[in-house]
PDB file of all heavy atoms in Angstrom:
ATOM      1  N   VAL A  25      -9.639  -6.855  21.707  1.00 93.00           N
ATOM      2  CA  VAL A  25      -9.999  -5.538  21.197  1.00 93.00           C
ATOM      3  C   VAL A  25      -9.576  -5.416  19.714  1.00 93.00           C
ATOM      4  O   VAL A  25     -10.331  -5.068  18.809  1.00 93.00           O
ATOM      5  CB  VAL A  25      -9.364  -4.425  22.029  1.00 93.00           C
ATOM      6  CG1 VAL A  25      -9.620  -3.102  21.346  1.00 93.00           C
ATOM      7  CG2 VAL A  25      -9.869  -4.407  23.404  1.00 93.00           C
ATOM      8  N   GLY A  45       0.619   1.778  28.499  1.00 93.00           N
ATOM      9  CA  GLY A  45       0.530   3.162  28.413  1.00 93.00           C
ATOM     10  C   GLY A  45       1.621   3.904  27.685  1.00 93.00           C
ATOM     11  O   GLY A  45       1.430   4.630  26.793  1.00 93.00           O
ATOM     12  N   ALA A  63      -8.858   8.890  14.606  1.00 95.00           N
ATOM     13  CA  ALA A  63     -10.342   9.042  14.793  1.00 95.00           C
ATOM     14  C   ALA A  63     -10.747   8.650  16.149  1.00 95.00           C
ATOM     15  O   ALA A  63     -11.685   9.243  16.656  1.00 95.00           O
ATOM     16  CB  ALA A  63     -11.102   8.340  13.726  1.00 95.00           C
ATOM     17  N   PHE A  65      -9.629   6.655  20.151  1.00 97.00           N
ATOM     18  CA  PHE A  65      -8.762   5.982  21.158  1.00 97.00           C
ATOM     19  C   PHE A  65      -9.611   5.030  21.875  1.00 97.00           C
ATOM     20  O   PHE A  65     -10.699   5.375  22.444  1.00 97.00           O
ATOM     21  CB  PHE A  65      -8.083   6.938  22.057  1.00 97.00           C
ATOM     22  CG  PHE A  65      -7.056   7.791  21.387  1.00 97.00           C
ATOM     23  CD1 PHE A  65      -7.298   9.116  21.045  1.00 97.00           C
ATOM     24  CD2 PHE A  65      -5.738   7.325  21.192  1.00 97.00           C
ATOM     25  CE1 PHE A  65      -6.378   9.903  20.480  1.00 97.00           C
ATOM     26  CE2 PHE A  65      -4.804   8.105  20.542  1.00 97.00           C
ATOM     27  CZ  PHE A  65      -5.080   9.452  20.237  1.00 97.00           C
ATOM     28  N   TRP A 157     -16.105  41.297   6.981  1.00 92.00           N
ATOM     29  CA  TRP A 157     -17.146  42.243   7.555  1.00 92.00           C
ATOM     30  C   TRP A 157     -18.312  42.525   6.643  1.00 92.00           C
ATOM     31  O   TRP A 157     -19.078  43.435   6.825  1.00 92.00           O
ATOM     32  CB  TRP A 157     -16.473  43.609   7.916  1.00 92.00           C
ATOM     33  CG  TRP A 157     -15.325  43.397   8.807  1.00 92.00           C
ATOM     34  CD1 TRP A 157     -14.021  43.761   8.532  1.00 92.00           C
ATOM     35  CD2 TRP A 157     -15.249  42.768  10.129  1.00 92.00           C
ATOM     36  NE1 TRP A 157     -13.150  43.437   9.608  1.00 92.00           N
ATOM     37  CE2 TRP A 157     -13.959  42.835  10.606  1.00 92.00           C
ATOM     38  CE3 TRP A 157     -16.275  42.274  10.970  1.00 92.00           C
ATOM     39  CZ2 TRP A 157     -13.539  42.420  11.802  1.00 92.00           C
ATOM     40  CZ3 TRP A 157     -15.878  41.770  12.226  1.00 92.00           C
ATOM     41  CH2 TRP A 157     -14.497  41.843  12.639  1.00 92.00           C
ATOM     42  N   ALA A 188      -6.902  36.825  -8.344  1.00 68.00           N
ATOM     43  CA  ALA A 188      -6.815  36.170  -9.671  1.00 68.00           C
ATOM     44  C   ALA A 188      -7.943  35.235  -9.876  1.00 68.00           C
ATOM     45  O   ALA A 188      -8.455  35.068 -11.024  1.00 68.00           O
ATOM     46  CB  ALA A 188      -5.469  35.456  -9.741  1.00 68.00           C
ATOM     47  N   ALA A 191     -10.993  37.217 -10.814  1.00 71.00           N
ATOM     48  CA  ALA A 191     -10.868  37.798 -12.152  1.00 71.00           C
ATOM     49  C   ALA A 191     -11.145  36.688 -13.223  1.00 71.00           C
ATOM     50  O   ALA A 191     -11.558  37.031 -14.289  1.00 71.00           O
ATOM     51  CB  ALA A 191      -9.439  38.345 -12.322  1.00 71.00           C
ATOM     52  N   VAL A 258     -45.366  12.296   7.160  1.00 98.00           N
ATOM     53  CA  VAL A 258     -44.967  13.477   7.872  1.00 98.00           C
ATOM     54  C   VAL A 258     -44.003  14.278   6.947  1.00 98.00           C
ATOM     55  O   VAL A 258     -43.065  13.726   6.355  1.00 98.00           O
ATOM     56  CB  VAL A 258     -44.188  13.115   9.137  1.00 98.00           C
ATOM     57  CG1 VAL A 258     -43.720  14.381   9.845  1.00 98.00           C
ATOM     58  CG2 VAL A 258     -45.068  12.217  10.051  1.00 98.00           C
ATOM     59  N   ASN A 278     -27.143  19.050  30.024  1.00 84.00           N
ATOM     60  CA  ASN A 278     -28.179  18.530  30.919  1.00 84.00           C
ATOM     61  C   ASN A 278     -29.269  17.767  30.154  1.00 84.00           C
ATOM     62  O   ASN A 278     -30.432  17.732  30.655  1.00 84.00           O
ATOM     63  CB  ASN A 278     -28.770  19.689  31.694  1.00 84.00           C
ATOM     64  CG  ASN A 278     -29.369  20.783  30.809  1.00 84.00           C
ATOM     65  OD1 ASN A 278     -29.252  20.737  29.550  1.00 84.00           O
ATOM     66  ND2 ASN A 278     -29.962  21.777  31.413  1.00 84.00           N
ATOM     67  N   ARG A 316     -54.208  28.306   6.513  1.00 96.00           N
ATOM     68  CA  ARG A 316     -55.701  28.481   6.538  1.00 96.00           C
ATOM     69  C   ARG A 316     -56.340  27.072   6.677  1.00 96.00           C
ATOM     70  O   ARG A 316     -55.650  26.030   6.455  1.00 96.00           O
ATOM     71  CB  ARG A 316     -56.119  29.176   5.248  1.00 96.00           C
ATOM     72  CG  ARG A 316     -56.008  28.373   3.999  1.00 96.00           C
ATOM     73  CD  ARG A 316     -56.526  29.167   2.801  1.00 96.00           C
ATOM     74  NE  ARG A 316     -56.647  28.381   1.567  1.00 96.00           N
ATOM     75  CZ  ARG A 316     -55.674  28.185   0.731  1.00 96.00           C
ATOM     76  NH1 ARG A 316     -54.403  28.703   0.968  1.00 96.00           N
ATOM     77  NH2 ARG A 316     -55.818  27.447  -0.327  1.00 96.00           N
ATOM     78  N   ALA A 391     -20.429  31.975  25.541  1.00 94.00           N
ATOM     79  CA  ALA A 391     -19.275  32.449  26.227  1.00 94.00           C
ATOM     80  C   ALA A 391     -18.235  31.388  26.422  1.00 94.00           C
ATOM     81  O   ALA A 391     -16.945  31.551  26.171  1.00 94.00           O
ATOM     82  CB  ALA A 391     -19.654  33.111  27.570  1.00 94.00           C
ATOM     83  N   TYR A 417     -24.787  24.472  36.276  1.00 89.00           N
ATOM     84  CA  TYR A 417     -23.565  23.874  35.711  1.00 89.00           C
ATOM     85  C   TYR A 417     -22.800  24.901  34.798  1.00 89.00           C
ATOM     86  O   TYR A 417     -21.586  24.910  34.776  1.00 89.00           O
ATOM     87  CB  TYR A 417     -23.823  22.567  34.891  1.00 89.00           C
ATOM     88  CG  TYR A 417     -24.437  22.814  33.494  1.00 89.00           C
ATOM     89  CD1 TYR A 417     -23.626  22.928  32.384  1.00 89.00           C
ATOM     90  CD2 TYR A 417     -25.801  22.876  33.313  1.00 89.00           C
ATOM     91  CE1 TYR A 417     -24.116  23.078  31.173  1.00 89.00           C
ATOM     92  CE2 TYR A 417     -26.343  23.028  32.052  1.00 89.00           C
ATOM     93  CZ  TYR A 417     -25.480  23.150  30.930  1.00 89.00           C
ATOM     94  OH  TYR A 417     -25.984  23.360  29.750  1.00 89.00           O
ATOM     95  N   VAL A 448     -17.466  48.440  22.091  1.00 97.00           N
ATOM     96  CA  VAL A 448     -18.834  48.345  22.692  1.00 97.00           C
ATOM     97  C   VAL A 448     -18.832  49.254  23.949  1.00 97.00           C
ATOM     98  O   VAL A 448     -18.018  48.996  24.819  1.00 97.00           O
ATOM     99  CB  VAL A 448     -19.194  46.913  23.012  1.00 97.00           C
ATOM    100  CG1 VAL A 448     -20.626  46.870  23.656  1.00 97.00           C
ATOM    101  CG2 VAL A 448     -19.139  46.026  21.786  1.00 97.00           C
TER     102      VAL A 448
END
Side-chain angles (χ1 to χ4, degrees):
V25 174
F65 291 101
W157 306 118
V258 181
N278 56 356
R316 71 181 188 273
Y417 78 89
V448 179

